[in-house]
Amino acid sequence: MLVAEAVGRALAASGIDVVFGLLGSGNLTVTNAMRDAGARFYAARHEGGAICMADGYGRVSGRVAVCSVHQGPGLTNTVTGLTEAAKSRTPVLVLAADTPAAALRSNFRIDQAALVEAVGAVAERVHGPDTAMADVARAVRRARVERRAVVLMLPLDVQAAECDPAPAPGGPDLAPAAPADAAVEAAAATLRAAERPAIIAGRGAVLAGAGPALRRLGERTGAVLATSAVANGLFAGDPYAVGIGGGFSSPVAARLLGEADAVIAFGAALNQWTTRHGTLIAATARVVQVDRDEEAIGAHRPVDAGIVGDAATTAEALVAALDGHASGRRTAALAEEIAAGAWRHVPYEETARLDPRTLTIALDEMLPLERTVVVDSGHFMGWPSMYLRVPDADGFVFPQAFQCVGLGLGNAIGAAIARPDRLTVAALGDGGALLALPELETLGRLGLPVLVVIYDDAAYGAEVHHFRPMGQAVDLAQFPETDFAGLADAAGCRGLEVRRIEDLEGVREWLADRDRPLVLDARVDPDICAEWLEEAFRGH
Ligand SMILES: Cc1ncc(C[n+]2csc(CCOP(=O)(O)OP(=O)(O)O)c2C)c(N)n1
Ligand SMILES: [Mg+2]
């Protein structure tokens, strides 16, 4: 069998049943082989969209997500989305055709391995017919077990050779890393002594499935629960959960976290975003950080103690170590204070134009709670993060590790394919929507029942709000109005312009049949500036 066919079959046999991509001569045979072996192929219109779809699919499904591209430009077009996936540790496998080693003068020739390694992805290669099956198994395993973005180079001459197609073994499952007893005991002592502890959970806690154990640890210690932005939803429904820690924290949440005398982080980097440049956590608080990676501990801010271990295993060990401990911190009054302090109850002054907060609150009430909220980057991004509830952490996709505008739409398409049982809501800015415009055609062609909400201020609002107060000209970051509803209709979606809250009646009608994607062009007041942004600008 040809190596190209054998590779496709082996990938499908390893359990991969969804492939995103854009076909060229270099990846057609391998992609066909995957399709013939039962995998579903979703064609993007730009490789930048395909990699984002794989990223979103991987984040929501927890499975290895595959993206298949042509050599040279097919791969260079993935690089921005690939960087996001690599930084976010999404288990993505890119199948990249490659020029033969001897094709020195091929137009397509670049150093593909150096390119992807430069952005933090892992370069793997099908080296030859004899190693092809082992090469595939290694690439899949590295993506799955190490949670890395892996690019598997498929040189054309090797693809065209004959090989034995017997798949290589995938390797054993690994048990989560258990923490050292002494480290658990020290952290338990800190929590026992604390009067107002706080637990901050990050994506590591989500991936470890630590939510239930952390809720139990919260009960035992009396801790308030918070998440980093990427882990939003992990503590949904818990009366002592204050939401996201950081710039998106409500005033009550910020106060409660600031009052904490002990903070224990699980799989959270404790970066500038989660800690408001360190100001959210009191200087006197004892900080304990739990992470499975040694290098994560203390990387962003000093900590008093570190525990190397899986978030769920460590949380369970702490619950056991604190057996018999009781705390009087969790009173009914505290729960009431947290509930009353949620963003949606924080008053704001409306202007005559469409207020993004009013818009988002109205959508939150109208849309089913079984939803996946996907947020692109920009000034608008706080509104969906603060005002749209999500049912759990899988219901929130926040591809911001590269702080890149334009990755949201592709991520939303991948998320919608991963969880067809949930309504996917893609929250984009007008700038991000236009960066991803080719994938509007993909959305329309696939007919996915996605709700796209474009917070349309006809500007790169983040730049306007950043520089206008400094007296700088911002006209280069402002645009004439874009007819997104017209673009949506032309791409096979349904477009709806929203200038007043009453226009959302069209969303209610759409919810009843969801026959195709709905794109809201929400013409929000461009002069409303989010408070969190001022704080965020200090990070530049
Ligand atoms: C690929 C990329 N280009 C440029 C930037 C700089 N940038 C950050 S926010 C932003 C504005 C995005 O505009 P839009 O999507 O309309 O969101 P808004 O800020 O207006 O809410 C830009 C250009 C970036 N982060 N990523
Ligand atoms: Mg904008």
Side-chain angles (χ1 to χ4, degrees), residues 80 376-381 383 402-406 428-435 454-463 465 533 540:
T80 303
D376 203 341
S377 203
H379 162 254
F380 76 93
M381 70 204 267
W383 312 131
F402 196 26
Q403 234 181 303
C404 173
V405 177
L428 318 176
D430 49 308
L434 287 166
L435 270 164
I454 302 177
Y455 291 83
D456 182 3
D457 60 354
Y460 296 141
E463 319 307 336
H465 295 298
L533 204 71
H540 279 251

Side-chain angles (χ1 to χ4, degrees), residues 313-404:
T313 312
T314 305
E316 279 155 16
L318 280 166
V319 171
L322 288 161
D323 193 21
H325 175 66
S327 155
R329 165 90 164 128
R330 286 190 160 190
T331 59
L334 177 63
E336 272 167 38
E337 187 186 359
I338 291 171
W343 268 118
R344 58 179 313 146
H345 304 305
V346 177
Y348 55 87
E349 276 194 26
E350 276 195 272
T351 60
R353 299 183 60 178
L354 182 64
D355 189 303
R357 292 161 289 199
T358 312
L359 166 80
T360 315
I361 291 169
L363 285 171
D364 185 54
E365 279 167 12
M366 192 178 288
L367 303 176
L369 188 54
E370 275 300 309
R371 59 178 79 146
T372 310
V373 175
V374 184
V375 185
D376 203 341
S377 203
H379 162 254
F380 76 93
M381 70 204 267
W383 312 131
S385 306
M386 298 188 298
Y387 292 100
L388 286 184
R389 284 165 298 166
V390 291
D392 52 35
D394 288 344
F396 193 67
V397 179
F398 199 65
Q400 313 294 348
F402 196 26
Q403 234 181 303
C404 173

Side-chain angles (χ1 to χ4, degrees), residues 237-250:
D238 192 300
Y240 297 97
V242 300
I244 298 173
F248 299 159
S249 287
S250 69

Side-chain angles (χ1 to χ4, degrees), residues 13 145 197 243 246:
V145 175

Side-chain angles (χ1 to χ4, degrees), residues 132-436:
M133 295 300 95
D135 295 335
V136 168
R138 188 180 60 250
V140 172
R141 184 168 177 83
R142 296 201 67 183
R144 190 165 64 84
V145 175
E146 298 175 28
R147 298 195 63 86
R148 304 291 299 270
V150 175
V151 181
L152 180 61
M153 312 300 172
L154 300 166
L156 298 182
D157 52 343
V158 180
Q159 286 197 54
E162 295 276 340
C163 76
D164 174 359
D173 287 337
L174 302 176
D181 291 344
V184 170
E185 202 29 68
T190 297
L191 291 170
R192 237 181 253 120
E195 284 174 20
R196 296 174 308 279
I199 292 172
I200 300 181
R203 189 147 170 78
V206 175
L207 294 170
L214 289 174
R215 287 177 193 239
R216 281 198 297 280
L217 184 62
E219 280 166 22
R220 188 147 293 184
T221 59
V224 293
L225 308 175
T227 67
S228 65
V230 274
N232 184 28
L234 185 65
F235 299 128
D238 192 300
Y240 297 97
V242 300
I244 298 173
F248 299 159
S249 287
S250 69
V252 166
R255 186 167 54 68
L256 289 171
L257 291 172
E259 283 173 6
D261 55 355
V263 174
I264 180 161
F266 289 83
L270 293 178
N271 62 23
Q272 59 183 22
W273 308 104
T274 306
T275 64
R276 292 194 183 173
H277 291 92
T279 62
L280 203 60
I281 298 175
T284 48
R286 272 192 75 78
V287 180
V288 181
Q289 191 178 4
V290 181
D291 208 286
R292 67 175 222 177
D293 295 331
E294 293 93 333
E295 69 264 29
I297 292 179
H300 286 268
R301 57 151 290 147
V303 295
D304 298 294
I307 305 181
V308 178
D310 171 79
T313 312
T314 305
E316 279 155 16
L318 280 166
V319 171
L322 288 161
D323 193 21
H325 175 66
S327 155
R329 165 90 164 128
R330 286 190 160 190
T331 59
L334 177 63
E336 272 167 38
E337 187 186 359
I338 291 171
W343 268 118
R344 58 179 313 146
H345 304 305
V346 177
Y348 55 87
E349 276 194 26
E350 276 195 272
T351 60
R353 299 183 60 178
L354 182 64
D355 189 303
R357 292 161 289 199
T358 312
L359 166 80
T360 315
I361 291 169
L363 285 171
D364 185 54
E365 279 167 12
M366 192 178 288
L367 303 176
L369 188 54
E370 275 300 309
R371 59 178 79 146
T372 310
V373 175
V374 184
V375 185
D376 203 341
S377 203
H379 162 254
F380 76 93
M381 70 204 267
W383 312 131
S385 306
M386 298 188 298
Y387 292 100
L388 286 184
R389 284 165 298 166
V390 291
D392 52 35
D394 288 344
F396 193 67
V397 179
F398 199 65
Q400 313 294 348
F402 196 26
Q403 234 181 303
C404 173
V405 177
L407 309 182
L409 183 57
N411 267 272
I413 293 173
I417 289 166
R419 287 300 298 263
D421 56 315
R422 287 185 164 171
L423 171 68
T424 299
V425 183
L428 318 176
D430 49 308
L434 287 166
L435 270 164

